[in-house]
Amino acid sequence: QVQLVESGGGLVQPGESLRLSCSGSRSTLSTYGIAWFRQVPGKEREGVSCIGVSDRVTRFAEFAKERFTISRDVAKTTVWLQMNNLKPEDTAIYYCATTDACGTATITRQYGVKSWGRGTLVTVSL
């Protein structure tokens, strides 16, 4: 059974940074790409970013392109989402998921997404 665990969320002020972690087994993160999504209660889950299994491909939602980066550790047990210059509208629960694909469709309609973590809350507020 695939298990992913998100961590690194918290309360920050606008303009600050956070690095979210998505941790899983080496076998999982060596087999699948990882996608990040976020959801505000009462709204649809939206794609943030993804990284392909080979790390050669990354994709970002428009709002994330200039502020977020995604990377994977050499041991292939963790994928990080570095979020800079955070804004109040970035407040959401952030989820990571395994994915067979990493393309625009993964971001826009969860194409290829398989298994989800339980999420970590990010709050951006004064």
Side-chain angles (χ1 to χ4, degrees):
Q1 183 177 356
V2 173
Q3 285 191 318
L4 298 174
V5 178
E6 302 93 337
S7 61
L11 172 63
V12 296
Q13 296 187 354
E16 294 186 337
S17 299
L18 275 177
R19 188 174 77 163
L20 304 185
S21 299
C22 175
S23 298
S25 69
R26 180 183 175 91
S27 63
T28 295
L29 269 68
S30 297
T31 302
Y32 296 101
I34 295 294
W36 283 94
F37 296 83
R38 68 185 188 183
Q39 188 170 23
V40 175
K43 295 188 176 181
E44 290 189 359
R45 192 168 295 188
E46 66 174 346
V48 178
S49 181
C50 61
I51 184 167
V53 63
S54 66
D55 298 348
R56 287 196 294 267
V57 176
T58 59
R59 292 289 187 271
F60 294 89
E62 282 299 320
F63 66 82
K65 282 182 179 178
E66 301 298 323
R67 300 183 294 127
F68 295 3
T69 60
I70 190 168
S71 60
R72 191 194 310 254
D73 73 327
V74 175
K76 292 196 180 291
T77 59
T78 304
V79 168
W80 296 294
L81 182 70
Q82 176 69 40
M83 306 188 295
N84 301 321
N85 189 23
L86 284 162
K87 304 176 180 182
E89 52 264 42
D90 294 317
T91 296
I93 300 173
Y94 284 71
Y95 300 88
C96 67
T98 56
T99 178
D100 286 335
C102 177
T104 301
T106 305
I107 300 296
T108 59
R109 54 185 178 90
Q110 301 179 17
Y111 178 78
V113 171
K114 299 295 183 184
S115 300
W116 297 88
R118 292 188 175 184
T120 185
L121 176 63
V122 172
T123 304
V124 185
S125 179
L126 290 171

